[in-house]
């Protein structure tokens, strides 16, 4: 799960990481009022779950409250990578003497959290990793021990020679390591961490991605979920426990299991079609999931055929068949449907679907995909 | 032979009184697996179709001599269940549970390494040595005993591949689902090494998918250390980039993780890659000289 910058900054604050003041607004009038309260030059920042906000024109400086209002009118309602901007963060525009990068990710190879910091911040860190890897200082830490103070100091001194500044960075890094572990994060990033001309170090930005599997014990973060920042189909899918990713093709796919779902998409392409989506109905076999899947897929006007590829294990084929019958009745779907069911309760499923019109059965995955591609092109 | 489990394997089911645990305990027993005990704290003294239930793993191991455990407990308790198994002397722990918080696994994997306990999973279908023993949740009837080892990060895609192999009359020595989570106990290389050293296994099918660099590392291992033929399949060639990988996550892997890069690494190591699942059967037949 992603949270917005302003929410990640609340998390930083709760762990004692210094962040500049700022408030969130949803209207231009609110932005003006916040700018007046803050005084001086402000920055208006789009709050969307997307990178490249600055490049897309979603981050603007304003010299006074009236200008802040003008800039907010432009940013609110704009789309960045297909996501509508509904909220902006208004913060004082600080003078910056230097920008650093601090990040922590989970390194699956080392099976430990990995700290990455750099003297070069405020820019695309992947670019730094590519062009100047020596500028990136890396360190693994054990979350049961945490990042030790001397380790934090040593790391900070590697990117900032002045001890009075480096020790501020070290303290922030240690707190970021605690925040990472306590928040079940998969990514915690401050880019940039800035030094002001007065020598004060602050987190000017905040990015936090949280492990979905940890959300059951992250109630504060779960409550930060912004339903308006999600696509409608993503929200519907999540609410019934489907994993769904929209693609651009014409064949809607309904599959159980992520690996089989990916392999099905690949096969659609192999046989000359294009998948309209990735969709995994998951391990359990609640008919409601199938109904929701059909509803989401049929909303996409590009879809010309629907392909079911089910290999029953924990998922029972007869449950999928029941969901399909219910979905056809509820949505009145007219698109051709190809269905391949193998595994647990396969015979019962066939029996259920025998009298259902408009279905094209298939014996194998290859046959099912070929038929779906043919029907979509007919 | 087979790897990790056979007819002698004595299994204890952790979370045996839950919905999935009881269902699969019965299914494993019906397949012929020696399910000797179940554990659910607070349900000690009860039994499930003749399988005695204990309050703790140490009691279950002491009383039954179990050497393997399979875990169906809910995600918040899974890490503790894995460690309980390891500290009671279990050699092989199979964690089926899906949804274990990733950071819970960091200390668990370090402790297991110190104890010398092998973990399969979490978030995996388990493993089966056809005709001998099944420890997990896979549909048993699609498997046939035979000479091919199967190792996979996926669940249902593994069933599909096994189904294709069996339809081509190619049986399996052992099929292992290593799990789809970022942090897992047994990786491709561990499983490949076991297959290389198993006299019964003559060839291996490896099923990978996008994300991480495990397949690239496996490719290097196969080229340098394996004499047995391996056939691979990689899922996710049409997966859109950047959907799950965080910004900085791409850095550690050096921008890798795509299906195309994995296929390239495998092919450069001389490993045939099936373009589609139904090609795996014919490729394995060829590798076996059939």
């Amino acid at each position: 799960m992603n949270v917005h910058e302003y929410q990640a900054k609340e998390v930083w604050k709760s762990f004692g990481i210094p962040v500049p003041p700022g408030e969130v607004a949803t209207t231009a009038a609110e932005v003006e009022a916040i700018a007046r309260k803050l005084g001086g030059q402000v920055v208006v920042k789009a709050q969307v779950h997307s990178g490249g906000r600055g490049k897309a024109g979603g981050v603007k400086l304003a010299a006074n409250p009236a200008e802040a209002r003008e800039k907010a009118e432009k940013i609110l309602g704009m789309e960045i990578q297909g996501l509508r901007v509904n909220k902006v963060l208004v913060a004082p525009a600080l003078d910056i003497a230097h920008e650093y990068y601090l990040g922590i990710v989970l390194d699956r190879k080392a099976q430990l959290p990995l700290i990455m910091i750099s003297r070069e911040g405020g820019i695309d860190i992947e670019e730094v990793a590519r062009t100047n890897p020596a500028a990136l200082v890396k360190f693994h830490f054990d979350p049961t021990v945490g990042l030790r103070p001397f380790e934090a100091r040593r790391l900070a001194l590697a990117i900032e020679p002045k001890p009075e500044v480096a020790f501020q960075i070290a303290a922030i890094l240690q707190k970021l390591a605690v925040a990472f572990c306590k928040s079940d994060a998969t990514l915690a990033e401050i880019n940039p961490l800035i030094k002001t001309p007065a020598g004060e170090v602050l987190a000017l930005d905040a990015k936090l991605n949280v492990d979905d599997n940890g959300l059951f014990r992250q109630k504060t973060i779960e409550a930060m979920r912004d339903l308006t920042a999600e696509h409608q189909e993503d929200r519907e899918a999540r609410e019934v426990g489907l994993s769904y990713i929209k693609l651009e093709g014409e064949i809607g796919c309904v599959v159980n299991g992520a690996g089989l779902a990916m392999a099905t998409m690949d096969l659609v392409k192999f046989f000359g079609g294009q998948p309209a989506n990735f969709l995994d109905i998951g391990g359990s076999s609640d008919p409601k999931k199938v109904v929701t899947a059909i509803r989401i897929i049929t909303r996409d006007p590009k879809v010309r055929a629907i392909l079911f590829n089910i290999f029953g294990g924990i998922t029972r084929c007869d449950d999928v068949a029941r969901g399909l019958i219910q979905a056809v009745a509820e949505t009145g779907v007219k698109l051709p449907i190809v269905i391949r069911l193998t595994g647990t309760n396969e015979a019962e499923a066939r029996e259920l679907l025998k009298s259902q019109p408009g279905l094209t059965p298939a014996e194998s995955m290859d046959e099912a995909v070929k038929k779906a591609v043919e029907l979509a092109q007919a | 032979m087979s790897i990790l489990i056979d007819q002698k394997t004595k299994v204890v089911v952790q979370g045996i009184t839950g919905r999935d645990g009881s269902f699969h305990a019965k299914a494993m027993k019906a397949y012929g697996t020696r399910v000797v005990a179940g554990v659910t704290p607070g349900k000690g003294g009860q039994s499930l179709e003749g399988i005695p239930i204990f309050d703790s793993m140490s009691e279950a191991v002491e009383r039954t001599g179990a050497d393997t455990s399979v875990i169906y407990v809910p995600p918040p308790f899974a890490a503790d269940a894995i460690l309980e198994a390891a500290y009671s002397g279990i050699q092989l722990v199979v964690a089926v549970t899906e949804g274990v918080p990733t950071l819970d696994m960091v200390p668990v994997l370090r402790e297991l390494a110190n104890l010398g306990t092998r973990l399969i999973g979490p978030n995996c279908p388990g493993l089966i040595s056809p005709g001998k023993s099944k420890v997990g949740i896979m549909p048993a009837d699609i498997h046939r005993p035979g000479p091919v080892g199967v190792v996979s990060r996926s669940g249902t895609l593994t069933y599909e591949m096994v189904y294709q192999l069996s339809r081509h009359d190619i049986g399996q020595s052992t099929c292992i689902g290593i799990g789809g989570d970022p942090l897992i106990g047994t990786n491709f290389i561990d499983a490949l090494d076991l297959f290389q050293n198993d006299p019964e296994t003559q060839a291996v099918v490896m099923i990978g998918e996008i994300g991480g660099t495990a397949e690239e590392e496996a490719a290097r291992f196969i080229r340098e250390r394996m004499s047995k033929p391996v056939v691979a399949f990689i899922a996710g060639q049409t997966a859109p980039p950047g959907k799950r990988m965080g910004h900085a996550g791409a850095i550690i892997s050096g921008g890798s993780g795509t299906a195309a890069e994995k296929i390239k690494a495998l092919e450069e190591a001389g490993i045939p890659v099936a373009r589609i699942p139904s090609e795996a059967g014919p490729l394995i037949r060829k590798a076996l000289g059939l």
Side-chain angles (χ1 to χ4, degrees):
Chain A
M1 180 186 144
N2 292 332
V3 301
H4 289 303
E5 172 198 352
Y6 78 91
Q7 296 167 321
K9 281 181 172 166
E10 283 169 24
V11 176
W12 286 182
K13 259 199 285 191
S14 72
F15 285 97
I17 296 170
V19 297
E23 280 180 48
V24 183
T26 55
T27 67
E30 282 169 28
V31 170
E32 188 178 352
I34 296 165
R36 182 162 296 122
K37 197 162 71 183
L38 291 170
Q41 201 185 29
V42 296
V43 58
V44 182
K45 302 172 89 176
Q47 300 294 294
V48 280
H49 295 317
S50 151
R53 289 177 298 165
K55 279 183 209 151
V59 180
K60 297 265 191 238
L61 282 172
N64 53 58
E67 202 183 317
R69 183 188 185 116
E70 252 170 64
K71 297 281 159 82
E73 274 164 1
K74 291 209 178 70
I75 295 172
L76 283 165
M78 77 184 291
E79 281 202 359
I80 299 177
Q81 291 182 11
L83 293 164
R84 203 185 128 90
V85 179
N86 297 316
K87 286 180 188 166
V88 289
L89 173 64
V90 189
L94 299 174
D95 288 331
I96 295 170
H98 193 82
E99 296 182 299
Y100 311 87
Y101 171 87
L102 301 187
I104 306 177
V105 293
L106 191 80
D107 182 351
R108 37 208 288 181
K109 198 167 157 189
Q111 303 186 325
L112 284 172
L114 172 65
I115 290 173
M116 290 184 288
I117 63 173
S118 176
R119 186 164 174 79
E120 313 297 326
I123 46 171
D124 185 352
I125 197 65
E126 282 169 304
E127 189 60 31
V128 174
R130 218 172 8 251
T131 56
N132 187 14
L136 208 54
V137 180
K138 298 183 179 183
F139 183 73
H140 288 104
F141 74 96
D142 179 346
T144 52
V145 179
L147 181 66
R148 294 180 169 100
F150 80 88
E151 291 168 335
R153 288 197 301 272
R154 195 186 62 207
L155 286 166
L157 283 165
I159 62 163
E160 171 53 58
K162 284 205 190 86
E164 67 273 22
V165 180
F167 295 158
Q168 289 182 64
I169 297 174
I172 291 170
L173 188 56
Q174 247 194 307
K175 287 167 181 163
L176 190 65
V178 175
F180 180 91
C181 299
K182 292 262 164 87
S183 308
D184 274 298
T186 53
L187 169 74
E189 191 178 73
I190 304 176
N191 189 23
L193 178 78
I194 62 153
K195 182 178 77 174
T196 64
E200 191 190 358
V201 180
L202 291 164
L204 199 60
D205 199 2
K207 189 170 179 192
L208 177 66
N209 293 352
V210 176
D211 178 7
D212 289 338
N213 291 350
L215 285 175
F216 69 87
R217 59 188 179 198
Q218 298 294 342
K219 297 295 176 213
T220 316
I221 290 170
E222 172 74 58
M224 289 178 175
R225 192 186 288 280
D226 180 358
L227 297 177
T228 66
E230 278 180 304
H231 292 291
Q232 186 193 352
E233 59 266 26
D234 292 344
R235 184 174 67 246
E236 280 177 56
R238 182 175 49 73
E239 282 168 0
V240 295
L242 296 173
S243 47
Y244 169 85
I245 296 170
K246 189 180 174 335
L247 301 168
E248 296 303 317
E250 71 286 349
I251 296 173
C253 303
V254 182
V255 189
N256 66 322
L260 190 61
M262 281 192 275
T264 304
M265 285 162 40
D266 295 349
L267 202 59
V268 166
K269 180 120 185 261
F270 185 84
F271 287 126
Q274 290 289 341
N277 62 278
F278 165 91
L279 195 151
D280 170 14
I281 60 169
S284 87
S285 26
D286 184 352
K288 204 164 43 174
K289 287 187 178 181
V290 181
V291 177
T292 307
I294 294 284
R295 193 172 290 140
I296 292 170
I297 286 171
T298 51
R299 209 181 287 139
D300 179 351
K302 283 195 199 141
V303 172
R304 305 284 312 273
I306 299 173
L307 165 65
F308 273 74
N309 186 18
I310 304 296
F311 207 116
I314 285 195
T315 306
R316 290 164 37 181
C317 292
D318 56 328
D319 282 337
V320 176
R322 270 185 212 101
L324 178 57
I325 292 165
Q326 195 183 331
V328 170
E330 281 182 28
T331 62
V333 56
K334 296 280 185 297
L335 295 166
I337 299 174
V338 180
I339 182 155
R340 182 273 179 129
L341 296 162
T342 304
T344 313
N345 294 5
E346 176 185 334
E348 291 89 327
R350 279 178 203 278
E351 194 56 35
L352 281 167
L353 293 174
K354 220 165 49 181
S355 50
Q356 183 76 18
L359 299 183
T360 307
E363 293 296 320
S364 72
M365 184 166 163
D366 284 6
E367 188 197 334
V369 172
K370 279 185 203 160
K371 281 183 172 170
V373 171
E374 259 168 48
L375 287 165
Q377 287 167 354
Chain B
M1 272 186 52
S2 49
I3 65 168
L4 299 169
I5 58 166
D6 58 25
Q7 55 271 51
K8 295 195 290 285
T9 302
K10 291 165 99 175
V11 179
V12 49
V13 178
Q14 292 178 259
I16 194 167
T17 53
R19 198 178 59 98
D20 291 339
S22 59
F23 179 83
H24 289 289
K26 289 180 222 163
M28 287 187 284
K29 196 167 176 234
Y31 188 70
T33 304
R34 294 177 71 187
V35 182
V36 296
V39 166
T40 297
K43 302 276 172 78
Q46 301 180 12
S47 70
L48 178 90
E49 296 202 352
I51 306 166
I53 300 174
F54 299 94
D55 283 316
S56 73
M57 280 299 290
S58 56
E59 198 186 349
V61 170
E62 217 168 276
R63 299 273 290 277
T64 66
D67 48 38
T68 296
S69 92
V70 56
I71 294 177
Y72 297 95
V73 309
F77 317 110
D80 187 58
I82 294 169
L83 289 175
E84 185 183 3
Y87 278 102
S88 57
I90 289 286
Q91 295 299 301
L92 174 68
V93 182
V94 181
V96 170
T97 308
E98 177 178 359
V100 182
T102 310
L103 282 174
D104 280 6
M105 291 308 297
V106 172
V108 168
L109 292 175
R110 288 165 84 81
E111 277 187 79
L112 293 188
N114 290 337
L115 292 164
T117 310
R118 177 179 295 283
L119 170 70
I120 311 245
N123 188 17
C124 78
L127 67 167
I128 181 168
S129 295
K132 296 171 184 162
S133 185
K134 158 181 147 161
V135 182
I137 59 172
M138 63 289 288
D141 58 357
I142 58 172
H143 300 81
R144 305 273 175 276
V148 174
V150 177
V151 57
S152 170
R153 276 166 72 182
S154 168
T156 50
L157 178 57
T158 316
Y159 311 162
E160 177 69 40
M161 298 297 272
V162 167
Y163 181 70
Q164 304 256 6
L165 292 177
S166 294
R167 290 209 322 176
H168 281 88
D169 276 328
I170 301 159
Q172 304 91 40
S173 53
T174 301
C175 303
I176 313 178
I178 59 176
D181 279 359
L183 298 192
I184 51 175
T186 295
N187 61 27
F188 277 130
I189 292 177
D190 301 326
L192 289 167
D193 193 34
L194 290 164
F195 281 130
Q196 172 65 25
N197 292 313
D198 171 37
E200 196 191 70
T201 301
Q202 292 169 28
V204 180
V205 174
M206 178 177 107
I207 303 152
E209 62 188 44
I210 54 162
T213 55
E215 291 81 0
E216 285 88 334
E217 287 140 32
R220 203 173 316 127
F221 177 85
I222 294 164
R223 192 186 57 216
E224 291 168 4
R225 308 275 293 278
M226 282 186 80
S227 59
K228 294 178 183 177
V230 177
V231 168
F233 176 76
I234 304 292
Q237 296 171 54
T238 50
K243 268 292 175 188
R244 235 137 132 225
M245 273 169 253
H247 195 54
I251 296 173
I252 352 167
S253 48
S256 72
T258 66
E261 286 165 289
K262 290 174 190 297
I263 291 169
K264 186 165 168 271
L266 289 159
E267 285 178 341
E268 279 174 2
I271 301 151
V273 181
R275 290 173 305 165
I276 59 177
S278 58
E279 279 186 357
L283 283 174
I284 274 288
R285 287 192 78 87
K286 203 170 135 194
L288 291 169
L290 295 170

